[in-house]
Amino acid sequence: MADTDKRLNLRFVALAIGMFAIGTDSFVVAGILPSIAKDLDTDVQTSAELITAYALAYAILSPVVATVAAQVSRKVLLIGGLLVFIGGNIGTGLAPTFEVAMCFRVVAALGGAMFTPTSAGAVVALAGPERRATALSILFGGLSAATALGSPIGTAISGVTDWRGTMVFVAVVGAVALVAVLVGLPSVPSPPRVSFGQRLSPLKDVRITLTLLLLLVAYSGLFTLYTYVSQVFRTATDGDGTTLAWLLFAWGAAAVVGNSVSGRITDKFGNRVVINTAGIVAVAVFATTPWSSQHTVSAFVAVMIWGACGWAMLVPIQHRLVGANPAASQLSISLSSSANYIGVSLAPVIGGFLLDHVVEVDHLGYPAAGIVLAGLLIGELSHLAIRRARRAEAAAEAGSTADAPSLARS
């Protein structure tokens, strides 16, 4: 039994390495925007569109790939996704112009869209019901590790070489994941076919739609500041890439802690308390960035609170999705990934517009805080919709119980 568990854990770790590579690719670009802008002869706001291209392509392509490739072998899809991902990052690192780099970011996103949902399905299929939670925690531990280690390492590499070296680093990690999957993963059965329309069907439920909007809007605000973290905290880091890498490490380490404890807190206090508490604390941190960004110590404190609170919101939001309509939970969770990436894709656009027309970079935390607050208000609407639906269900159940004696007498 112990040997079986060990073999399963090694298979999950192989997939987690892939998640680490894809997560690093998602988060590292924010830390190397100044290097990209300088090399490709553009400004930081324009360079941030690389984040938009990756995140938006991922959000759109994930459900499309899942539908089109439903009958493809899971292992073939995982290997193919990593190959495309590696090619996309090598192409980005070799790109002679910003436009070519943008195209290769879409290619890398396609690889991520092929790998991530497939890997989640693979661990569920391999683990069985009794080990499902453990398997998923190992898998998404790779994503959490990307925030704590992958992104700061990639940023540090950029400081030593340049941003192209960072892209090579991401491609190398993807290659390690490819070898691990090739060697350590057995064949995985394909899941039942689900049409594209069925994948979008949960959106007909206002409770789910509002909860997904909470996720989309809140993470737009959270990542509006993250996208421009190198600029917002430039005074605190004195423009030094190594200091910025340590700042991102602090953010990522706090994110891992926030994500890991949020489940237990949600079970104890409910998702509304955790979502609103974490969100309001993040709003307060954002509102104080004009001061905290001026000093190294205060910058580290700010990003750690922000990282913990931002990632602590993710689990309770998914908990709310599952509770809103348990029958549609798997499809709702799948849509939550797309909603999250759409929010991340909008963040550079929103931030770029604000910096061009509304605020100086030192004050970007103000509108970012407002966007997160708007997400929390949408979250309250989703909470009210869920309560209203539960009351209606309770009333209908009470009515049917009351009718039963009269039907028996008749």
Side-chain angles (χ1 to χ4, degrees):
M1 185 67 176
D3 288 341
T4 301
D5 289 347
K6 186 176 181 180
R7 283 197 301 271
L8 280 173
N9 286 341
L10 288 174
R11 292 167 182 175
F12 304 151
V13 168
L15 294 171
I17 295 170
M19 292 292 284
F20 177 83
I22 289 165
T24 299
D25 203 24
S26 300
F27 297 113
V28 75
V29 174
I32 60 175
L33 286 179
S35 179
I36 295 173
K38 182 179 180 180
D39 187 47
L40 296 182
D41 194 26
T42 184
D43 55 35
V44 171
Q45 287 94 309
T46 302
S47 298
E49 293 174 10
L50 295 174
I51 300 174
T52 297
Y54 182 93
L56 187 59
Y58 180 97
I60 293 171
L61 290 170
S62 286
V64 174
V65 169
T67 303
V68 172
Q71 300 307 306
V72 176
S73 160
R74 299 298 90 183
K75 187 168 182 178
V76 169
L77 196 56
L78 289 166
I79 292 170
L82 287 171
L83 286 171
V84 172
F85 174 82
I86 293 166
N89 277 283
I90 291 174
T92 303
L94 296 175
T97 66
F98 177 76
E99 291 75 17
V100 173
M102 181 83 80
C103 292
F104 276 109
R105 294 309 292 152
V106 174
V107 173
L110 172 60
M114 293 168 68
F115 183 87
T116 303
T118 308
S119 62
V123 299
V124 169
L126 291 170
E130 71 282 355
R131 287 178 51 83
R132 187 171 296 163
T134 300
L136 288 171
S137 68
I138 293 172
L139 179 70
F140 287 101
L143 189 60
S144 297
T147 66
L149 295 174
S151 180
I153 289 172
T155 302
I157 288 172
S158 175
V160 175
T161 58
D162 59 12
W163 70 277
R164 297 180 188 274
T166 300
M167 293 294 100
V168 172
F169 161 70
V170 175
V172 168
V173 177
V176 172
L178 177 63
V179 173
V181 170
L182 279 168
V183 174
L185 197 71
S187 60
V188 183
S190 298
R193 185 177 181 86
V194 179
S195 70
F196 189 73
Q198 288 173 310
R199 292 184 184 279
L200 299 181
S201 61
L203 295 176
K204 298 175 183 177
D205 188 331
V206 67
R207 299 168 297 177
I208 291 175
T209 300
L210 286 171
T211 304
L212 290 172
L213 279 174
L214 153 64
L215 178 61
L216 190 157
V217 174
Y219 276 77
S220 291
L222 290 167
F223 277 87
T224 291
L225 203 64
Y226 183 84
T227 300
Y228 297 99
V229 65
S230 62
Q231 303 299 295
V232 172
F233 292 96
R234 186 172 182 82
T235 301
T237 64
D238 198 26
D240 179 60
T242 302
T243 306
L244 177 61
W246 280 111
L247 200 68
L248 292 176
F249 172 77
W251 183 88
V256 172
V257 174
N259 186 64
S260 63
V261 304
S262 62
R264 291 191 294 273
I265 298 174
T266 300
D267 286 336
K268 185 173 182 179
F269 296 104
N271 59 61
R272 186 190 186 200
V273 170
V274 181
I275 291 169
N276 288 341
T277 301
I280 290 169
V281 172
V283 166
V285 170
F286 280 18
T288 59
T289 51
W291 173 79
S292 64
S293 64
Q294 301 304 303
H295 313 278
T296 303
V297 174
S298 58
F300 273 89
V301 172
V303 299
M304 290 177 71
I305 297 173
W306 160 26
C309 289
W311 281 78
M313 293 175 67
L314 196 56
V315 169
I317 290 174
Q318 302 217 4
H319 182 272
R320 180 175 294 185
L321 280 173
V322 172
N325 187 350
S329 60
Q330 289 192 6
L331 295 176
S332 299
I333 294 298
S334 176
L335 288 172
S336 74
S337 178
S338 291
N340 194 355
Y341 271 90
I342 290 172
V344 173
S345 72
L346 290 175
V349 178
I350 295 169
F353 174 83
L354 291 170
L355 292 176
D356 285 341
H357 303 288
V358 181
V359 295
E360 297 294 328
V361 69
D362 290 344
H363 297 92
L364 185 60
Y366 292 151
I371 296 168
V372 176
L373 188 59
L376 296 179
L377 293 175
I378 295 171
E380 283 300 287
L381 293 177
S382 75
H383 172 73
L384 292 174
I386 292 168
R387 285 186 59 186
R388 191 178 300 117
R390 286 176 179 168
R391 284 198 299 265
E393 290 169 2
E397 184 177 341
S400 62
T401 303
D403 288 343
S406 61
L407 288 171
R409 286 194 298 271
S410 64

